[in-house]
PDB file of all heavy atoms in Angstrom:
ATOM      1  N   GLN A   9      51.310  42.436  37.838  1.00 98.00           N
ATOM      2  CA  GLN A   9      51.000  42.105  39.256  1.00 98.00           C
ATOM      3  C   GLN A   9      51.008  40.591  39.486  1.00 98.00           C
ATOM      4  O   GLN A   9      51.513  40.284  40.496  1.00 98.00           O
ATOM      5  CB  GLN A   9      49.597  42.637  39.580  1.00 98.00           C
ATOM      6  CG  GLN A   9      49.633  44.257  39.738  1.00 98.00           C
ATOM      7  CD  GLN A   9      48.192  44.759  40.133  1.00 98.00           C
ATOM      8  OE1 GLN A   9      47.288  43.920  40.206  1.00 98.00           O
ATOM      9  NE2 GLN A   9      48.173  46.054  40.437  1.00 98.00           N
ATOM     10  N   MET A  10      50.397  39.862  38.596  1.00 98.00           N
ATOM     11  CA  MET A  10      50.505  38.371  38.628  1.00 98.00           C
ATOM     12  C   MET A  10      51.897  37.850  38.683  1.00 98.00           C
ATOM     13  O   MET A  10      52.300  36.956  39.550  1.00 98.00           O
ATOM     14  CB  MET A  10      49.761  37.795  37.560  1.00 98.00           C
ATOM     15  CG  MET A  10      48.370  38.028  37.494  1.00 98.00           C
ATOM     16  SD  MET A  10      47.526  37.213  36.017  1.00 98.00           S
ATOM     17  CE  MET A  10      45.993  38.180  35.876  1.00 98.00           C
ATOM     18  N   LEU A  11      52.709  38.481  37.916  1.00 97.00           N
ATOM     19  CA  LEU A  11      54.181  38.013  37.920  1.00 97.00           C
ATOM     20  C   LEU A  11      54.747  38.200  39.200  1.00 97.00           C
ATOM     21  O   LEU A  11      55.771  37.369  39.520  1.00 97.00           O
ATOM     22  CB  LEU A  11      54.803  38.801  36.698  1.00 97.00           C
ATOM     23  CG  LEU A  11      56.292  38.292  36.434  1.00 97.00           C
ATOM     24  CD1 LEU A  11      56.252  36.903  35.788  1.00 97.00           C
ATOM     25  CD2 LEU A  11      57.053  39.266  35.537  1.00 97.00           C
ATOM     26  N   ASN A  12      54.447  39.258  39.910  1.00 96.00           N
ATOM     27  CA  ASN A  12      55.160  39.628  41.113  1.00 96.00           C
ATOM     28  C   ASN A  12      54.521  39.043  42.426  1.00 96.00           C
ATOM     29  O   ASN A  12      54.984  39.292  43.503  1.00 96.00           O
ATOM     30  CB  ASN A  12      55.261  41.095  41.242  1.00 96.00           C
ATOM     31  CG  ASN A  12      56.144  41.642  40.202  1.00 96.00           C
ATOM     32  OD1 ASN A  12      57.192  41.151  39.821  1.00 96.00           O
ATOM     33  ND2 ASN A  12      55.793  42.890  39.631  1.00 96.00           N
ATOM     34  N   ASP A  13      53.289  38.266  42.224  1.00 96.00           N
ATOM     35  CA  ASP A  13      52.669  37.716  43.396  1.00 96.00           C
ATOM     36  C   ASP A  13      53.210  36.346  43.657  1.00 96.00           C
ATOM     37  O   ASP A  13      54.074  35.830  43.014  1.00 96.00           O
ATOM     38  CB  ASP A  13      51.101  37.846  43.392  1.00 96.00           C
ATOM     39  CG  ASP A  13      50.554  37.080  42.335  1.00 96.00           C
ATOM     40  OD1 ASP A  13      51.163  35.930  41.904  1.00 96.00           O
ATOM     41  OD2 ASP A  13      49.419  37.323  41.907  1.00 96.00           O
ATOM     42  N   LYS A  14      52.724  35.543  44.651  1.00 94.00           N
ATOM     43  CA  LYS A  14      53.027  34.268  44.913  1.00 94.00           C
ATOM     44  C   LYS A  14      52.208  33.249  44.251  1.00 94.00           C
ATOM     45  O   LYS A  14      52.568  31.935  44.551  1.00 94.00           O
ATOM     46  CB  LYS A  14      53.058  34.084  46.469  1.00 94.00           C
ATOM     47  CG  LYS A  14      53.987  34.940  47.116  1.00 94.00           C
ATOM     48  CD  LYS A  14      53.986  34.786  48.616  1.00 94.00           C
ATOM     49  CE  LYS A  14      54.993  35.712  49.414  1.00 94.00           C
ATOM     50  NZ  LYS A  14      55.049  35.543  50.883  1.00 94.00           N
ATOM     51  N   ASN A  15      51.275  33.576  43.533  1.00 97.00           N
ATOM     52  CA  ASN A  15      50.320  32.553  42.901  1.00 97.00           C
ATOM     53  C   ASN A  15      50.936  32.070  41.627  1.00 97.00           C
ATOM     54  O   ASN A  15      51.858  32.504  40.946  1.00 97.00           O
ATOM     55  CB  ASN A  15      48.971  33.198  42.597  1.00 97.00           C
ATOM     56  CG  ASN A  15      48.303  33.568  43.952  1.00 97.00           C
ATOM     57  OD1 ASN A  15      48.394  32.987  44.901  1.00 97.00           O
ATOM     58  ND2 ASN A  15      47.717  34.774  43.941  1.00 97.00           N
ATOM     59  N   THR A  16      50.290  30.818  41.255  1.00 98.00           N
ATOM     60  CA  THR A  16      50.545  30.211  39.935  1.00 98.00           C
ATOM     61  C   THR A  16      49.294  30.197  39.148  1.00 98.00           C
ATOM     62  O   THR A  16      48.226  30.033  39.654  1.00 98.00           O
ATOM     63  CB  THR A  16      51.037  28.677  40.080  1.00 98.00           C
ATOM     64  OG1 THR A  16      52.285  28.684  40.747  1.00 98.00           O
ATOM     65  CG2 THR A  16      51.130  27.984  38.794  1.00 98.00           C
ATOM     66  N   TYR A  17      49.349  30.628  37.871  1.00 98.00           N
ATOM     67  CA  TYR A  17      48.181  30.904  37.023  1.00 98.00           C
ATOM     68  C   TYR A  17      48.172  29.963  35.863  1.00 98.00           C
ATOM     69  O   TYR A  17      49.158  29.797  35.294  1.00 98.00           O
ATOM     70  CB  TYR A  17      48.189  32.263  36.578  1.00 98.00           C
ATOM     71  CG  TYR A  17      48.096  33.318  37.667  1.00 98.00           C
ATOM     72  CD1 TYR A  17      49.164  33.956  38.228  1.00 98.00           C
ATOM     73  CD2 TYR A  17      46.753  33.765  38.158  1.00 98.00           C
ATOM     74  CE1 TYR A  17      48.971  34.901  39.281  1.00 98.00           C
ATOM     75  CE2 TYR A  17      46.699  34.772  39.094  1.00 98.00           C
ATOM     76  CZ  TYR A  17      47.877  35.163  39.718  1.00 98.00           C
ATOM     77  OH  TYR A  17      47.721  36.202  40.712  1.00 98.00           O
ATOM     78  N   ILE A  18      47.109  29.310  35.609  1.00 98.00           N
ATOM     79  CA  ILE A  18      46.846  28.544  34.539  1.00 98.00           C
ATOM     80  C   ILE A  18      46.197  29.280  33.430  1.00 98.00           C
ATOM     81  O   ILE A  18      45.130  30.078  33.656  1.00 98.00           O
ATOM     82  CB  ILE A  18      45.953  27.318  34.949  1.00 98.00           C
ATOM     83  CG1 ILE A  18      46.559  26.310  35.962  1.00 98.00           C
ATOM     84  CG2 ILE A  18      45.649  26.423  33.613  1.00 98.00           C
ATOM     85  CD1 ILE A  18      45.809  25.250  36.453  1.00 98.00           C
ATOM     86  N   ALA A  19      46.751  29.177  32.237  1.00 98.00           N
ATOM     87  CA  ALA A  19      46.312  29.996  31.070  1.00 98.00           C
ATOM     88  C   ALA A  19      45.817  28.983  29.919  1.00 98.00           C
ATOM     89  O   ALA A  19      46.691  28.198  29.429  1.00 98.00           O
ATOM     90  CB  ALA A  19      47.384  30.845  30.532  1.00 98.00           C
ATOM     91  N   PRO A  20      44.541  28.822  29.779  1.00 98.00           N
ATOM     92  CA  PRO A  20      44.099  27.815  28.665  1.00 98.00           C
ATOM     93  C   PRO A  20      44.461  28.345  27.387  1.00 98.00           C
ATOM     94  O   PRO A  20      44.440  29.545  27.026  1.00 98.00           O
ATOM     95  CB  PRO A  20      42.619  27.759  28.949  1.00 98.00           C
ATOM     96  CG  PRO A  20      42.159  29.137  29.664  1.00 98.00           C
ATOM     97  CD  PRO A  20      43.423  29.412  30.410  1.00 98.00           C
ATOM     98  N   GLY A  21      44.688  27.503  26.455  1.00 98.00           N
ATOM     99  CA  GLY A  21      45.033  27.847  25.179  1.00 98.00           C
ATOM    100  C   GLY A  21      43.696  28.091  24.304  1.00 98.00           C
ATOM    101  O   GLY A  21      42.829  27.216  24.181  1.00 98.00           O
ATOM    102  N   ILE A  22      43.570  29.249  23.786  1.00 98.00           N
ATOM    103  CA  ILE A  22      42.544  29.633  22.967  1.00 98.00           C
ATOM    104  C   ILE A  22      42.975  30.041  21.631  1.00 98.00           C
ATOM    105  O   ILE A  22      44.119  30.233  21.400  1.00 98.00           O
ATOM    106  CB  ILE A  22      41.623  30.817  23.628  1.00 98.00           C
ATOM    107  CG1 ILE A  22      42.524  31.941  24.024  1.00 98.00           C
ATOM    108  CG2 ILE A  22      41.144  30.313  24.948  1.00 98.00           C
ATOM    109  CD1 ILE A  22      42.788  32.904  22.970  1.00 98.00           C
ATOM    110  N   PHE A  23      42.087  30.140  20.704  1.00 98.00           N
ATOM    111  CA  PHE A  23      42.481  30.226  19.225  1.00 98.00           C
ATOM    112  C   PHE A  23      41.539  31.216  18.393  1.00 98.00           C
ATOM    113  O   PHE A  23      41.852  31.506  17.289  1.00 98.00           O
ATOM    114  CB  PHE A  23      42.618  28.922  18.601  1.00 98.00           C
ATOM    115  CG  PHE A  23      41.387  27.962  18.708  1.00 98.00           C
ATOM    116  CD1 PHE A  23      40.339  28.127  17.897  1.00 98.00           C
ATOM    117  CD2 PHE A  23      41.268  27.198  19.772  1.00 98.00           C
ATOM    118  CE1 PHE A  23      39.278  27.200  17.999  1.00 98.00           C
ATOM    119  CE2 PHE A  23      40.177  26.341  19.939  1.00 98.00           C
ATOM    120  CZ  PHE A  23      39.175  26.330  19.039  1.00 98.00           C
ATOM    121  N   ASP A  24      40.594  31.808  19.047  1.00 98.00           N
ATOM    122  CA  ASP A  24      39.668  32.742  18.443  1.00 98.00           C
ATOM    123  C   ASP A  24      38.859  33.582  19.387  1.00 98.00           C
ATOM    124  O   ASP A  24      39.094  33.274  20.575  1.00 98.00           O
ATOM    125  CB  ASP A  24      38.705  32.080  17.351  1.00 98.00           C
ATOM    126  CG  ASP A  24      37.865  31.110  17.901  1.00 98.00           C
ATOM    127  OD1 ASP A  24      37.773  30.999  19.141  1.00 98.00           O
ATOM    128  OD2 ASP A  24      37.191  30.293  17.242  1.00 98.00           O
ATOM    129  N   GLY A  25      38.068  34.370  18.870  1.00 97.00           N
ATOM    130  CA  GLY A  25      37.273  35.196  19.812  1.00 97.00           C
ATOM    131  C   GLY A  25      36.282  34.546  20.759  1.00 97.00           C
ATOM    132  O   GLY A  25      36.349  34.810  21.817  1.00 97.00           O
ATOM    133  N   ILE A  26      35.695  33.592  20.156  1.00 97.00           N
ATOM    134  CA  ILE A  26      34.670  32.892  21.018  1.00 97.00           C
ATOM    135  C   ILE A  26      35.325  31.950  22.023  1.00 97.00           C
ATOM    136  O   ILE A  26      34.828  31.941  23.299  1.00 97.00           O
ATOM    137  CB  ILE A  26      33.580  32.049  20.187  1.00 97.00           C
ATOM    138  CG1 ILE A  26      32.441  31.722  21.074  1.00 97.00           C
ATOM    139  CG2 ILE A  26      34.302  30.820  19.510  1.00 97.00           C
ATOM    140  CD1 ILE A  26      31.284  31.329  20.261  1.00 97.00           C
ATOM    141  N   THR A  27      36.409  31.266  21.798  1.00 98.00           N
ATOM    142  CA  THR A  27      37.083  30.603  22.789  1.00 98.00           C
ATOM    143  C   THR A  27      37.695  31.474  23.992  1.00 98.00           C
ATOM    144  O   THR A  27      37.870  31.197  25.084  1.00 98.00           O
ATOM    145  CB  THR A  27      38.215  29.642  22.172  1.00 98.00           C
ATOM    146  OG1 THR A  27      39.068  30.452  21.331  1.00 98.00           O
ATOM    147  CG2 THR A  27      37.619  28.437  21.378  1.00 98.00           C
ATOM    148  N   ALA A  28      38.153  32.662  23.411  1.00 98.00           N
ATOM    149  CA  ALA A  28      38.648  33.579  24.393  1.00 98.00           C
ATOM    150  C   ALA A  28      37.541  34.076  25.345  1.00 98.00           C
ATOM    151  O   ALA A  28      37.706  34.120  26.604  1.00 98.00           O
ATOM    152  CB  ALA A  28      39.285  34.789  23.652  1.00 98.00           C
ATOM    153  N   ARG A  29      36.354  34.396  24.870  1.00 98.00           N
ATOM    154  CA  ARG A  29      35.222  34.818  25.638  1.00 98.00           C
ATOM    155  C   ARG A  29      34.819  33.684  26.623  1.00 98.00           C
ATOM    156  O   ARG A  29      34.600  33.945  27.780  1.00 98.00           O
ATOM    157  CB  ARG A  29      34.022  35.186  24.653  1.00 98.00           C
ATOM    158  CG  ARG A  29      34.246  36.444  23.903  1.00 98.00           C
ATOM    159  CD  ARG A  29      33.985  37.599  24.715  1.00 98.00           C
ATOM    160  NE  ARG A  29      32.664  37.626  25.303  1.00 98.00           N
ATOM    161  CZ  ARG A  29      32.300  38.086  26.606  1.00 98.00           C
ATOM    162  NH1 ARG A  29      33.286  38.607  27.419  1.00 98.00           N
ATOM    163  NH2 ARG A  29      31.044  38.095  26.954  1.00 98.00           N
ATOM    164  N   LEU A  30      34.827  32.475  26.068  1.00 98.00           N
ATOM    165  CA  LEU A  30      34.457  31.310  27.060  1.00 98.00           C
ATOM    166  C   LEU A  30      35.387  31.212  28.144  1.00 98.00           C
ATOM    167  O   LEU A  30      35.025  30.935  29.335  1.00 98.00           O
ATOM    168  CB  LEU A  30      34.388  29.932  26.229  1.00 98.00           C
ATOM    169  CG  LEU A  30      33.227  29.959  25.210  1.00 98.00           C
ATOM    170  CD1 LEU A  30      33.342  28.743  24.349  1.00 98.00           C
ATOM    171  CD2 LEU A  30      31.956  29.759  26.085  1.00 98.00           C
ATOM    172  N   ALA A  31      36.705  31.317  27.860  1.00 98.00           N
ATOM    173  CA  ALA A  31      37.792  31.254  28.865  1.00 98.00           C
ATOM    174  C   ALA A  31      37.591  32.377  29.942  1.00 98.00           C
ATOM    175  O   ALA A  31      37.664  32.008  31.139  1.00 98.00           O
ATOM    176  CB  ALA A  31      39.177  31.224  28.301  1.00 98.00           C
ATOM    177  N   GLU A  32      37.265  33.570  29.337  1.00 98.00           N
ATOM    178  CA  GLU A  32      37.097  34.627  30.312  1.00 98.00           C
ATOM    179  C   GLU A  32      35.868  34.488  31.223  1.00 98.00           C
ATOM    180  O   GLU A  32      36.019  34.685  32.418  1.00 98.00           O
ATOM    181  CB  GLU A  32      37.000  35.987  29.564  1.00 98.00           C
ATOM    182  CG  GLU A  32      36.803  37.148  30.376  1.00 98.00           C
ATOM    183  CD  GLU A  32      36.727  38.523  29.506  1.00 98.00           C
ATOM    184  OE1 GLU A  32      35.999  38.500  28.547  1.00 98.00           O
ATOM    185  OE2 GLU A  32      37.234  39.505  29.924  1.00 98.00           O
ATOM    186  N   GLN A  33      34.855  33.988  30.654  1.00 97.00           N
ATOM    187  CA  GLN A  33      33.553  33.875  31.337  1.00 97.00           C
ATOM    188  C   GLN A  33      33.582  32.742  32.346  1.00 97.00           C
ATOM    189  O   GLN A  33      33.018  32.606  33.449  1.00 97.00           O
ATOM    190  CB  GLN A  33      32.453  33.484  30.289  1.00 97.00           C
ATOM    191  CG  GLN A  33      32.017  34.718  29.550  1.00 97.00           C
ATOM    192  CD  GLN A  33      30.800  34.394  28.672  1.00 97.00           C
ATOM    193  OE1 GLN A  33      30.403  33.240  28.501  1.00 97.00           O
ATOM    194  NE2 GLN A  33      30.374  35.466  27.952  1.00 97.00           N
ATOM    195  N   THR A  34      34.529  31.655  32.046  1.00 98.00           N
ATOM    196  CA  THR A  34      34.813  30.551  33.038  1.00 98.00           C
ATOM    197  C   THR A  34      35.449  31.123  34.213  1.00 98.00           C
ATOM    198  O   THR A  34      35.393  30.417  35.367  1.00 98.00           O
ATOM    199  CB  THR A  34      35.521  29.426  32.381  1.00 98.00           C
ATOM    200  OG1 THR A  34      34.818  29.104  31.207  1.00 98.00           O
ATOM    201  CG2 THR A  34      35.827  28.270  33.239  1.00 98.00           C
ATOM    202  N   GLY A  35      36.290  32.119  34.061  1.00 98.00           N
ATOM    203  CA  GLY A  35      36.929  32.765  35.360  1.00 98.00           C
ATOM    204  C   GLY A  35      38.403  32.729  35.229  1.00 98.00           C
ATOM    205  O   GLY A  35      39.083  33.027  36.361  1.00 98.00           O
ATOM    206  N   PHE A  36      39.060  32.414  34.263  1.00 98.00           N
ATOM    207  CA  PHE A  36      40.462  32.421  34.187  1.00 98.00           C
ATOM    208  C   PHE A  36      40.970  33.872  34.163  1.00 98.00           C
ATOM    209  O   PHE A  36      40.391  34.804  33.555  1.00 98.00           O
ATOM    210  CB  PHE A  36      40.984  31.681  32.781  1.00 98.00           C
ATOM    211  CG  PHE A  36      40.828  30.208  32.857  1.00 98.00           C
ATOM    212  CD1 PHE A  36      39.727  29.670  32.257  1.00 98.00           C
ATOM    213  CD2 PHE A  36      41.791  29.402  33.367  1.00 98.00           C
ATOM    214  CE1 PHE A  36      39.605  28.189  32.463  1.00 98.00           C
ATOM    215  CE2 PHE A  36      41.628  28.132  33.522  1.00 98.00           C
ATOM    216  CZ  PHE A  36      40.473  27.394  32.899  1.00 98.00           C
ATOM    217  N   ASP A  37      42.094  34.024  34.927  1.00 98.00           N
ATOM    218  CA  ASP A  37      42.701  35.274  35.073  1.00 98.00           C
ATOM    219  C   ASP A  37      43.565  35.730  33.937  1.00 98.00           C
ATOM    220  O   ASP A  37      43.948  36.933  33.669  1.00 98.00           O
ATOM    221  CB  ASP A  37      43.533  35.403  36.324  1.00 98.00           C
ATOM    222  CG  ASP A  37      42.667  35.225  37.669  1.00 98.00           C
ATOM    223  OD1 ASP A  37      41.789  35.983  37.760  1.00 98.00           O
ATOM    224  OD2 ASP A  37      43.003  34.193  38.383  1.00 98.00           O
ATOM    225  N   VAL A  38      44.027  34.786  33.107  1.00 98.00           N
ATOM    226  CA  VAL A  38      45.007  35.005  31.951  1.00 98.00           C
ATOM    227  C   VAL A  38      44.658  34.020  31.002  1.00 98.00           C
ATOM    228  O   VAL A  38      44.352  32.790  31.345  1.00 98.00           O
ATOM    229  CB  VAL A  38      46.478  35.034  32.393  1.00 98.00           C
ATOM    230  CG1 VAL A  38      46.787  33.763  33.203  1.00 98.00           C
ATOM    231  CG2 VAL A  38      47.402  35.342  31.315  1.00 98.00           C
ATOM    232  N   ILE A  39      44.888  34.300  29.685  1.00 98.00           N
ATOM    233  CA  ILE A  39      44.596  33.313  28.549  1.00 98.00           C
ATOM    234  C   ILE A  39      45.699  33.322  27.672  1.00 98.00           C
ATOM    235  O   ILE A  39      46.532  34.293  27.740  1.00 98.00           O
ATOM    236  CB  ILE A  39      43.225  33.540  27.847  1.00 98.00           C
ATOM    237  CG1 ILE A  39      43.278  34.911  27.215  1.00 98.00           C
ATOM    238  CG2 ILE A  39      42.030  33.309  28.686  1.00 98.00           C
ATOM    239  CD1 ILE A  39      41.948  35.231  26.437  1.00 98.00           C
TER     240      ILE A  39
END
Side-chain angles (χ1 to χ4, degrees):
Q9 284 185 355
M10 295 179 201
L11 186 67
N12 293 326
D13 68 25
K14 296 181 180 180
N15 299 318
T16 294
Y17 295 91
I18 295 179
I22 51 87
F23 49 90
D24 60 10
I26 194 165
T27 52
R29 289 283 298 142
L30 288 168
E32 180 180 42
Q33 290 181 354
T34 301
F36 286 95
D37 296 304
V38 56
I39 57 179

